[in-house]
Amino acid sequence: MVTNATSLTRSGLSDFIIQRVSALILGLYTICITGFLLLTPDLDYATWVAFHGGTWMQLFSTLAVLALAAHAWIGMWTVGTDYIREHYFGQRATVFRSIYMVICAGVLFVFVAWSLQIFWRL
Amino acid sequence: MQVSIYRYNPDTDEAPWMQDVDVDIPAGRDLMVLDVLELMKSKDASISYRRSCREGVCGSDGVNMNGRNGLACITPLSEVVKKDRLVLRPLPGLPVIRDLVVDMTQFFRQYEKIQPYLQNDKPAPATERLQSPEEREKLDGLYECILCACCSTACPSFWWNPDKFIGPAGLLQAYRFLSDSRDTATAARLADLDDPFSVFRCRGIMNCVSVCPKGLNPTRAIGHIKHMLLQQGT
């Protein structure tokens, strides 16, 4: 058993499931948005706002944003632990990896907070 | 034929280097790569490599031949030589001790982690623990592994995290014991594998399947382990 404090759930299986379920949610969200764009010939700002103003769409968008954040964290964490290693960076690898992960976490936090503010008009 | 061979003697060389050697191949014969190494060693005794059974059973002579891992003793020149040139390097990703000899400590440490022995907490029967032919059949394609390390050293996930990712060879053996009807430690074995590195660093690129000299399929075994983890964990 390899323990790691920075993986999303500490469990390989849980991360594996979250990554796949979040991909499914994002796929459905993409189909939903694409379908709306294709099926709405006279698309204007008012229609777009009305489409996103419904409670179900707000919930779906929130779910998609959270799914993207979880998906991105697992992916970026995997990339970071693959490439930012002692082999390339020596003893400083842990520092570099920590900086990289703080940047990733910061970007994802801003993305989630900003998205929720927009979708829920906070 | 020209052979370019990786040379490194830590006592005399500051860095590894490639030595080009012209080798006379007997006409009309398709030698094995190990035969070529033997021919080279007969002229330069300092060339170092591992070998033992010379028939693909012991797994000693895993090397990288023209960019592809394999056993030198059962790889004919006709399979690997391109443009009358053969490049021989040690298995990638492991520390080099000398020339083609690599330090397999990390590889065997991962193998040790999966506890490669039968565990059964029930009282031992008077004679032996029996298996049906169907139960025994589940071990086919798993027990044949000779631990040559060709697969694990062809795997980028193992190159990147050799101390954390078990690697295809170890995971093939992990599944060999997970699927053994006589083993009762299945839950504990799976619990030991449920972390983000041991199994789930496998990205399924199948380099291991491509290079296995015994024709085994570690990727399929890893898929079965993930399925077992999924069944146990959900």
Side-chain angles (χ1 to χ4, degrees), chain B residues 104-156:
Chain B
M104 309 256 293
T105 306
Q106 193 64 65
F107 173 78
F108 282 112
R109 199 167 281 154
Q110 295 295 359
Y111 178 56
E112 187 184 11
K113 267 194 203 171
I114 61 103
Q115 303 181 1
Y117 42 85
L118 202 67
Q119 296 178 39
N120 192 310
D121 54 8
K122 292 174 187 157
T127 52
E128 58 187 317
R129 298 187 195 279
L130 297 175
Q131 282 188 306
S132 68
E134 292 75 27
E135 288 169 338
R136 167 60 188 80
E137 204 173 303
K138 288 180 182 170
L139 307 183
D140 288 342
L142 304 172
Y143 77 92
E144 298 94 330
C145 175
I146 56 173
L147 298 172
C148 61
C150 287
C151 59
S152 290
T153 56
C155 172

Side-chain angles (χ1 to χ4, degrees), chain B residues 42-57:
Chain B
S42 67
K43 293 187 176 164
D44 179 357
S46 70
I47 294 176
S48 300
Y49 51 90
R50 287 196 183 101
R51 59 145 297 171
S52 184
C53 74
R54 59 94 185 106
E55 56 188 20
V57 175

